[in-house]
Amino acid sequence: MSSPLACPARPQALEVLRRAGAVALADLAVTYTWRTWLFGRVPRKLSQVAFFALIGRVVGGEDAERFLVVGNALMACAVETTLVVASSAWERALGTMPLLVSAPAPLAWAFAVRSAQWIISGTGASLVALLLLGPLFGADWQLEMIPVMVLLVVLTAVGTYCFGLALGAWVIDHPAQRNVVSLLANLLMMTICGVQVALDHWPAPVQTLAALLPITHELVALRELLDGAPLSAILPDAAAGALVGAAWLAIAVVAFGRVGERGRRDGTIEFGA
Amino acid sequence: MNAIQTRALRRVFTAGRDKRGKSGSRTALDGVDLSIPPGEVHGLLGPNGAGKTTLCKILSTVLVPTSGSASVMGHDVVTGLAAVRPLVGCVFGGDRGLYGRLSGRKNLAYWAALYGVPRRLIDGRTTTLLDRFGLAGRADERVETYSRGMKQRLHLARGLVHNPPVLLLDEPTTGMDPVSAMDFRRLIGELRNEGRTVLVTTHDMAEAEAVCDRVTLVNDGRILHSASPQELSALVSRYGRVEARNVPDTLTQRVRILPGVTRVATDTDGVTRIELASADAAPPVLRLLIERGVTDLATCRPGLEEVYLHLIADRGMEVGR
């Protein structure tokens, strides 16, 4: 450390993402132990999925319970990943915002995987719900379906995380609204994306809105998989969901850039103790 | 080329609207001209709200000035963001600004990545800094288990992780115990020897005198005075005073007419404050008081606030409160 830096260095995206991932894993380790996750968080998710599936059994018969168990099992993952909305605002509370803004790396790099722990816990919750509750409510998965099912759940987790990340960029400037925003986002997905109600029930404008959310496409693909559709039918829907997720990531990157710029202009980036 | 240069720097914050719907504004910096050559440790002294932190924010690119200009190593902080950011290390007081659930080592490694330290250098750089700041023994423990002093040392290490030539230290000893504060002063000496330029803000005059090559006093967003610590010491002793208890009225009258005594006042607690115009005025005052049997007395250096008030009064400026 004897000679001061002679020329500016350029941060490397992969290195920043890798190190930010360590923050996510550290948060995950504090949020859950495997015991609290398995015997606390997962049963809570399973109860919710079972609740809706039982309603389906009571009011609509076998088709309805199968529809609801698949929709709500996948939604369990989205509910978890949209926690990114709230956890993005944690940086304000930690006091790291001014340091992140003054660092050479773009702000979006720091936030992109900083809450990725929810992707891991969300994927796990959905897979447990699909594999454990599915067969009890008419969703009989064949062994050969499982790799594709895992892929679709991961795509859902990543896509809904990106959607939440874009909302998180807005919430950073409005931290008091963090829980309201994530609840509204979940409500929107549960209502119009084919989780509780079939997509074709909604008028065209609502279906168009639903198409802008990644879970809509991944859920269609998951239902096709369960119905025994070939991969050639499933993959286009899965890819559409991934594409929508990527679009939300792009929106999030732009939005985080604006968060930094706006904060620099209006002086809302707090500094110090 | 100066390491830090500001010209007519001004920052106005827009406040919320009042009951009549009119929006107000607050001027945090008002035409600040400051030049700090490379390698200088420069103290920025001022009370809360003087504009010290606003200046640090602008220099660290966290805030855009309303008008005027500021540059670091010749790069403008508004138009040359990409050039300025790697050149500046920023440390502020208190224990916020760290990832409590990460270890000290992982915190440093993350900030090193954000500043573009090459991957092959990150491990060595973090280990060196953890050793230097006495954190090696707990480097792999979560930061939330650290004491406040340890967090502050980690902050300093973080500010140096990309080896910047310019360091901004905003109230860096906030919350430090006296031993840590002493270590901090030693560190500043090391940074000076390494050729770094350091801008340190504080409201502790003794700290500024101990570590700074030059000191600037600020108040209400304006520079009041720039001086070396020696000049500042002279300024402080110029405004010294004597405090004594149980001084009879007749003696008070005699003290009042001694040379160099500018003001004598006795408060309701029976403490008489004798303000002096120079250090030379103190011995005759003390001699007279002791000869007349007043033994409960002390000489006092004025606090920073008092120096400000004197400076402001000398310049005929109104004190903004």
Side-chain angles (χ1 to χ4, degrees), chain A residues 70-109:
Chain A
V70 172
N72 283 282
L74 197 62
M75 186 65 209
C77 149
V79 170
E80 193 82 0
T81 54
T82 48
L83 288 173
V84 63
V85 177
S87 59
S88 292
W90 290 352
E91 297 289 339
R92 285 270 193 206
L94 284 172
T96 45
M97 273 299 282
L99 300 172
L100 290 172
V101 168
S102 63
L107 198 56
W109 292 6

Side-chain angles (χ1 to χ4, degrees), chain A residues 132-263:
Chain A
L132 216 64
L133 291 183
L136 299 178
F137 294 96
D140 296 315
W141 303 102
Q142 306 299 311
L143 203 58
E144 64 271 19
M145 293 177 178
I146 291 179
V148 182
M149 177 218 281
V150 172
L151 173 71
L152 294 175
V153 171
V154 170
L155 286 176
T156 306
V158 174
T160 50
Y161 176 84
C162 293
F163 170 54
L165 200 60
L167 299 178
W170 184 82
V171 160
I172 283 181
D173 281 340
H174 308 84
Q177 308 301 321
R178 62 189 184 281
N179 292 329
V180 175
V181 171
S182 60
L183 282 171
L184 286 176
N186 284 329
L187 197 62
L188 182 72
M189 285 190 280
M190 289 179 85
T191 308
I192 69 167
C193 294
V195 175
Q196 315 288 18
V197 181
L199 274 175
D200 55 13
H201 169 83
W202 296 106
V206 177
Q207 288 187 41
T208 303
L209 181 62
L212 300 177
L213 300 170
I215 193 174
T216 305
H217 305 279
E218 306 302 351
L219 193 48
V220 168
L222 191 63
R223 294 191 195 286
E224 287 170 343
L225 176 70
L226 187 59
D227 291 340
L231 268 181
S232 57
I234 296 167
L235 288 181
D237 286 310
L243 205 63
V244 172
W248 280 109
L249 180 62
I251 290 169
V253 168
V254 172
F256 276 111
R258 291 197 175 166
V259 165
E261 282 309 303
R262 195 165 49 243

Side-chain angles (χ1 to χ4, degrees), chain B residues 209 212-213 227-235:
Chain B
E209 284 183 75
C212 297
D213 299 315
S228 68
Q230 292 75 24
E231 290 168 328
L232 193 67
S233 287
L235 195 67

Side-chain angles (χ1 to χ4, degrees), chain B residues 101-242:
Chain B
R101 291 166 176 175
L102 280 187
S103 67
R105 189 187 304 281
K106 285 185 176 174
N107 261 279
L108 291 187
Y110 181 35
W111 289 108
L114 285 163
Y115 274 90
V117 175
R119 186 176 180 178
R120 66 180 190 286
L121 298 180
I122 289 179
D123 287 349
R125 185 76 61 83
T126 53
T127 301
T128 303
L129 284 167
L130 289 163
D131 276 338
R132 180 177 184 178
F133 287 93
L135 295 168
R138 297 187 59 187
D140 296 308
E141 294 177 29
R142 286 210 303 262
V143 167
E144 64 191 6
T145 67
Y146 286 13
S147 68
R148 192 165 187 174
M150 290 172 69
K151 287 177 184 170
Q152 196 55 36
R153 278 184 273 153
L154 186 61
H155 256 309
L156 288 164
R158 184 196 47 69
L160 288 169
V161 78
H162 58 294
N163 210 9
V166 175
L167 261 179
L168 307 175
L169 309 178
D170 187 31
E171 310 273 0
T173 51
T174 301
M176 270 190 193
D177 59 60
V179 176
S180 300
M182 192 78 91
D183 284 344
F184 165 76
R185 291 175 186 177
R186 181 181 49 76
L187 169 76
I188 296 284
E190 290 176 13
L191 297 175
R192 180 197 286 113
N193 293 339
E194 291 168 4
R196 298 181 206 272
T197 308
V198 180
L199 177 64
V200 54
T201 77
T202 180
H203 47 239
D204 183 342
M205 187 177 287
E207 180 175 282
E209 284 183 75
V211 302
C212 297
D213 299 315
R214 206 154 54 97
V215 169
T216 294
L217 300 177
V218 291
N219 192 45
D220 278 348
R222 295 179 192 156
I223 290 180
L224 296 181
H225 195 73
S226 272
S228 68
Q230 292 75 24
E231 290 168 328
L232 193 67
S233 287
L235 195 67
V236 168
S237 57
R238 188 175 134 202
Y239 297 122
R241 66 168 185 264
V242 173

